[in-house]
Amino acid sequence: EYDFPKEPSPADYALHPIRYTHGFFAKLSVNFGFNFVLMMAVSYVLIKGSLHGILGLVKLSYCKKTLKIDGTQCQTLDTIARTPWSMKGVIGVVSGNRITHFSHC
């Protein structure tokens, strides 16, 4: 874990995210092993990222060739389909506050 020096300079503030991230991954590697950290990085960055990109192209091709709609309509349908998932955090906060509010009664 990275701690600031007693008298930090502007460079310390600028490099803080990099140093903190390095410390986080070093601690993660000590706790779970380097192979696990490498597997997670490959899984999230390479596999998930490349699949997301490839599936986006496949989806656009499917919309144009099979559904006979243009890219704008395909993107609109995708946005509508993702709206419930986007609202998940808001619904969680509202329901959490509701339960907390009623538990004090």
Side-chain angles (χ1 to χ4, degrees):
E1 185 173 322
Y2 174 74
D3 290 326
F4 281 113
K6 291 188 182 203
E7 295 181 20
S9 68
D12 290 320
Y13 288 109
L15 294 174
H16 178 70
I18 296 168
R19 291 176 178 160
Y20 187 82
T21 303
H22 179 267
F24 171 76
F25 282 109
K27 189 186 297 184
L28 194 67
S29 183
V30 166
N31 289 336
F32 296 103
F34 177 76
N35 289 336
F36 176 77
V37 174
L38 182 63
M39 179 193 67
M40 293 302 290
V42 167
S43 173
Y44 279 103
V45 175
L46 297 178
I47 296 172
K48 188 176 177 182
S50 60
L51 279 178
H52 188 272
I54 291 169
L55 289 177
L57 295 174
V58 169
K59 180 183 62 177
L60 182 60
S61 176
Y62 176 75
C63 286
K64 285 185 175 185
K65 292 179 181 176
T66 305
L67 300 177
K68 307 280 192 255
I69 58 176
D70 66 346
T72 306
Q73 290 173 325
C74 185
Q75 189 173 14
T76 302
L77 291 174
D78 188 49
T79 302
I80 292 169
R82 291 176 190 258
T83 299
W85 185 257
S86 301
M87 294 172 50
K88 182 180 176 189
V90 173
I91 292 170
V93 168
V94 170
S95 68
N97 286 336
R98 275 300 225 198
I99 292 170
T100 304
H101 174 70
F102 288 120
S103 67
H104 292 303
C105 293

